[in-house]
Amino acid sequence: MKFSSSLLSLFALVSLVIASPNPAGFVVKDSLNAPQDWARRSVAPSDEHVVLHLGLAKRDQAGLEARLLEISDPDHKDYGEWLTADEVDAFTAPSAETRTIVSRWLEEHGLMDSHIEKRSVSENSISVTVPIHKARAMLGDAEFHVYEHRDTGEERITTESYSLPRDVAPHIETIFGLANFARGSAFRSPIRVLTQEEQGDDSTPGVVKASSASGAPASCNFNYVTAHCLRYLYGTEDYKPYGKGQHIGISGFGKEYANFDDLQLYLKNQRKAREGYKFSVTTINGGHNTQSKPGAEANLDTQVVAGLAAPIRSTYYSTGGSPPFKADKGTPTNTNEPYAEQLDYLLGLTHPPAVLSTSYGDDEQTVPYAYAKRVCADFASLTARGVSILFASGDSGVGAASSCQTNDGLNTTTFLPVFPSTCPWVTSVGATMDFAPEVVAEAKESYITSGAGFSNYFARPSYQKTAVQGYLKTLGTENAGLYNTTGRAYPDVAAQGSRYKIYVGGKYYAVSGTSASTPTMASIIALLNDARLKAGKSTLGFLNPWIYSLNGKGFTDVTSGNSYGCSTDGFPATEGWDPATGFGTPKFKTLLSQALKK
Ligand SMILES: *[C@@H]1O[C@H](CO)[C@@H](O)[C@H](O)[C@H]1NC(C)=O
Ligand SMILES: *[C@@H]1O[C@H](CO)[C@@H](O)[C@H](O)[C@H]1NC(C)=O
């Protein structure tokens, strides 16, 4: 990395910033201390460029959410009447006043309409690239530093705090990549190559696990979970999909590429009847489709969906935006956040995917509050279009032991909830293991523990109040002070998340995680949509009010195990909803009859 400024001028810069952290007329928009796993290396060179990706205030988010709660309420007369893109835009486009004030502010800094590089369809998100010295002037002398992720060496330029002029601040909800240390990590265990012996033959039973011997489908008496096993376990084996009118979206971020040949190998071995099925790939924001570099997460997600939901079409969305930062002059550092670009793209589609499966997330506290609010509001817009949005609940139970502290400078011991699962407009999926009965997936056997928790950012939505209050009553004082008793609780549901047998670069691997559970649940939802579409009904869209109204009907309750973490027993699974596995794992046939009733 090259630095154009001398050490002396760097010091001068720092002391200047400390002397006037927030000039008169500016208000702090967002601030976040860098989490412990990020080291602040140096002041960012002032001629380096950054992308300012502005999330403009929406005209009527409250109106959108109120309408969404009506059309997702199975007892409302308008249930299932999802909105068109234009109907969403009518709520979410910026007002004339917002447009005027933001344009005037940009013009004051020499940024004309022609400098705007990207504009979302609803025009509530725009990007401009500026040198850091200009960004500082625009953002109340915000300090930009080079940060390095201690484990991976990943570098990024960002701020820990930024401000906007008092009159502009209400019109910009967030600047997506600033004060943001989210990494959009994939939730899967490190994958393990299977030995020749372990690979076995998928058509004959392998070694029966003692705990899964009785009551499990014969096809699940394996050391490893296959498509065959999942279809019998969850009851989709007899369902003949119609396959029209929808597609399943699978999110990919970072350098995760889904491989076409590996899918054929998976189908040949685990779902012969669907050999030849292909997913399509859409690249967003400079994402790639590098067939020579298959990714374990990407392959897991695309293989599971194909095995369970083919012939329903699926699309792998490879979103760029987190390249390793290089301080080359003139190369703008990207916004380094996974969701905004993908959401802008999906919200612009006339036919978005009916189901979106995303196996990525971050500790909520590494995501700035204004950013989380905005992205969550964008998920509300997308699910209002009739898209069921599923997110993995995370693989560290209530938090990885070494990191269970607040990053507000006080280092208070706390559980660490995971975003976006904490957003009330998405459906969060936890992980189980074993078969008869299924229990909470935990690290000793599965290398991962089903993620669980309560948001510090989002209040508990009305649809889950009864279920969560019931659980908290049973829980009593256990974990008191370690979690937020009024927050949005997750996960909502669960599915197998242990030892899936997948193919990467032509080899067999075992992989665990809510990363596996999420495409499994997404496939089940797509099959339910399939039956609804065939019956002339709409897609299931925003799922949570429907799921909570079933109150466990259509799910196998998981009552054994814990979401361990933070050196505690975490949250125990209990009868009924619990924050280890939600309502439990799907019973397709029951869900099908329920889904066709509304
Ligand atoms: C909090 O923890 C960090 C990292 O371990 C340490 O550097 C810092 O001094 C701690 N702060 C307090 C107030 O204990
Ligand atoms: C707990 O969650 C609520 C939202 O439900 C939030 O307002 C509050 O700040 C949170 N408490 C903490 C300590 O983060």
Side-chain angles (χ1 to χ4, degrees):
M1 231 177 67
K2 284 184 304 198
F3 290 103
S4 44
S5 348
S6 72
L7 204 56
L8 205 70
S9 68
L10 293 186
F11 281 134
L13 204 61
V14 171
S15 53
L16 182 87
V17 168
I18 289 164
S20 77
N22 199 31
F26 281 80
V27 290
V28 175
K29 193 68 209 179
D30 226 338
S31 75
L32 186 78
N33 294 325
Q36 285 169 26
D37 50 353
W38 284 92
R40 187 202 273 194
R41 290 294 180 224
S42 54
V43 171
S46 71
D47 54 354
E48 181 65 53
H49 285 69
V50 285
V51 177
L52 299 183
H53 186 178
L54 312 176
L56 271 49
K58 298 170 177 182
R59 199 177 300 222
D60 186 13
Q61 181 66 23
L64 174 90
E65 292 180 7
R67 183 61 184 154
L68 174 53
L69 286 174
E70 289 177 354
I71 59 183
S72 61
D73 172 356
D75 294 325
H76 194 278
K77 66 176 173 45
D78 297 337
Y79 176 69
E81 300 203 353
W82 310 115
L83 307 183
T84 63
D86 286 346
E87 285 168 338
V88 168
D89 287 353
F91 289 112
T92 63
S95 67
E97 188 196 8
T98 293
R99 288 173 205 261
T100 308
I101 289 174
V102 173
S103 297
R104 199 168 59 208
W105 173 64
L106 292 174
E107 281 165 22
E108 279 164 17
H109 293 278
L111 300 165
M112 305 301 148
D113 239 33
S114 59
H115 290 94
I116 294 176
E117 291 141 16
K118 254 195 227 166
R119 212 184 275 276
S120 68
V121 173
S122 60
E123 303 198 344
N124 62 26
S125 127
I126 60 176
S127 302
V128 287
T129 299
V130 296
I132 283 174
H133 59 82
K134 187 182 289 265
R136 285 175 44 79
M138 295 170 76
L139 305 175
D141 289 343
E143 293 181 57
F144 284 82
H145 285 91
V146 178
Y147 293 85
E148 184 183 339
H149 189 250
R150 293 181 204 274
D151 297 340
T152 61
E154 176 191 335
E155 287 187 333
R156 66 172 59 168
I157 288 181
T158 191
T159 50
E160 291 182 51
S161 175
Y162 65 96
S163 304
L164 286 168
R166 193 171 298 281
D167 59 326
V168 177
H171 299 281
I172 295 179
E173 290 180 350
T174 192
I175 303 180
F176 288 101
L178 300 190
N180 197 340
F181 294 87
R183 299 182 61 243
S185 313
F187 287 141
R188 54 160 186 80
S189 63
I191 64 172
R192 193 168 72 74
V193 191
L194 301 188
T195 63
Q196 196 71 43
E197 196 171 67
E198 285 172 325
Q199 285 169 22
D201 173 352
D202 298 337
S203 59
T204 55
V207 182
V208 178
K209 283 173 51 63
S211 59
S212 63
S214 63
S219 58
C220 288
N221 287 342
F222 286 101
N223 267 338
Y224 301 99
V225 170
T226 60
H228 202 52
C229 160
L230 292 170
R231 294 175 65 236
Y232 279 83
L233 185 63
Y234 296 140
T236 66
E237 80 280 9
D238 297 329
Y239 182 77
K240 303 256 177 313
Y242 150 77
K244 299 201 181 80
Q246 65 165 335
H247 64 117
I248 303 170
I250 300 164
S251 299
F253 301 105
K255 291 203 191 87
E256 282 289 339
Y257 310 116
N259 190 272
F260 300 124
D261 294 341
D262 285 330
L263 174 64
Q264 294 314 314
L265 194 55
Y266 177 91
L267 293 173
K268 182 168 170 235
N269 283 284
Q270 297 190 19
R271 197 71 210 285
K272 199 126 187 77
R274 298 296 182 203
E275 258 188 282
Y277 171 88
K278 292 192 176 82
F279 56 88
S280 55
V281 176
T282 298
T283 59
I284 300 170
N285 193 38
H288 295 282
N289 173 20
T290 310
Q291 286 297 309
S292 58
K293 292 189 178 153
E297 180 67 61
N299 275 12
L300 169 67
D301 298 349
T302 48
Q303 289 172 19
V304 168
V305 165
L308 296 179
I312 299 170
R313 289 183 301 125
S314 55
T315 304
Y316 185 73
Y317 292 107
S318 174
T319 303
S322 313
F325 157 72
K326 280 199 259 49
D328 294 340
K329 262 198 204 122
T331 311
T333 73
N334 225 309
T335 52
N336 282 309
E337 67 74 38
Y339 306 115
E341 300 284 353
Q342 190 201 35
L343 278 161
D344 281 353
Y345 174 83
L346 294 176
L347 283 165
L349 296 176
T350 311
H351 298 291
V355 184
L356 180 65
S357 177
T358 309
S359 296
Y360 298 74
D362 287 283
D363 288 341
E364 190 181 63
Q365 68 171 0
T366 65
V367 178
Y369 179 70
Y371 169 84
K373 280 274 183 203
R374 169 58 182 243
V375 167
C376 183
D378 285 345
F379 285 130
S381 297
L382 187 63
T383 199
R385 299 280 313 278
V387 181
S388 301
I389 305 174
L390 287 86
F391 268 92
S393 74
D395 286 355
S396 304
V398 293
S402 59
S403 58
C404 298
Q405 299 192 335
T406 58
N407 64 350
D408 56 1
L410 300 175
N411 298 356
T412 312
T413 303
T414 183
F415 288 171
L416 293 176
V418 159
F419 178 79
S421 266
T422 53
C423 168
W425 306 114
V426 309
T427 301
S428 173
V429 185
T432 60
M433 62 183 195
D434 296 352
F435 303 105
E438 287 183 81
V439 303
V440 183
E442 56 100 352
K444 261 184 246 140
E445 185 178 321
S446 300
Y447 308 102
I448 63 104
T449 301
S450 181
F454 291 74
S455 178
N456 286 316
Y457 286 180
F458 300 99
R460 182 167 312 136
S462 55
Y463 61 72
Q464 68 169 192
K465 277 199 171 133
T466 308
V468 178
Q469 273 159 10
Y471 179 81
L472 290 180
K473 215 165 152 194
T474 313
L475 189 68
T477 56
E478 199 174 335
N479 302 328
L482 293 172
Y483 71 100
N484 192 322
T485 55
T486 64
R488 141 72 161 151
Y490 69 91
D492 302 298
V493 293
Q496 278 287 318
S498 186
R499 300 166 298 111
Y500 278 46
K501 185 172 183 177
I502 64 158
Y503 305 80
V504 183
K507 290 205 182 77
Y508 300 80
Y509 289 87
V511 60
S512 299
T514 49
S515 274
S517 316
T518 307
T520 297
M521 184 60 75
S523 301
I524 303 272
I525 299 300
L527 292 171
L528 297 173
N529 277 339
D530 184 82
R532 279 179 59 91
L533 290 166
K534 194 171 174 192
K537 294 174 186 285
S538 62
T539 58
L540 285 166
F542 181 41
L543 296 169
N544 295 1
W546 177 62
I547 288 173
Y548 282 82
S549 78
L550 295 176
N551 196 24
K553 193 180 237 171
F555 293 89
T556 300
D557 194 2
V558 176
T559 58
S560 176
N562 289 59
S563 60
Y564 298 96
C566 297
S567 311
T568 73
D569 288 343
F571 294 109
T574 58
E575 263 174 47
W577 182 92
D578 55 66
T581 53
F583 283 111
T585 61
K587 284 191 215 159
F588 179 71
K589 286 167 190 139
T590 314
L591 287 172
L592 184 62
S593 66
Q594 292 298 319
L596 290 172
K597 273 189 193 159
K598 294 290 178 180

